[in-house]
Amino acid sequence: MAFTLYSLMQAMLLMVNAVAVLHEERFLRHVGWGSDQGIGGFGEEPGIKAQLTNLIRSVRTVMRVPLIAVNSVTIVLLLLFG
């Protein structure tokens, strides 16, 4: 398999899919990354753990519908062109 732009975009799609399917109660809370953990006080910089959990939560919220469309297009392209 050659390293092409399509394979790079497919790898990024797989990474976004992996982040999107992380479930907070089933996986993240068991490894200590739940939503109630890592909450700082007023005026404090959020830690890296809080920033990553916010990123995961926002990817799950914002990218849900676009991921369905992009995954569907990717599946159709793979079926048509191999």
Side-chain angles (χ1 to χ4, degrees), residues 50-76:
Q51 289 178 352
L52 285 174
T53 55
N54 285 335
L55 176 69
I56 291 169
R57 192 177 304 116
S58 64
V59 165
R60 277 195 335 240
T61 303
V62 173
M63 293 299 291
R64 181 172 291 155
V65 175
L67 271 177
I68 294 170
V70 171
N71 283 327
S72 300
V73 168
T74 303
I75 290 170
V76 169

Side-chain angles (χ1 to χ4, degrees), residues 17-31:
N17 278 325
V19 170
V21 299
L22 289 176
H23 195 270
E24 197 149 341
E25 285 105 20
R26 292 185 193 158
F27 177 74
L28 294 176
R29 190 160 296 164
H30 290 292
V31 294

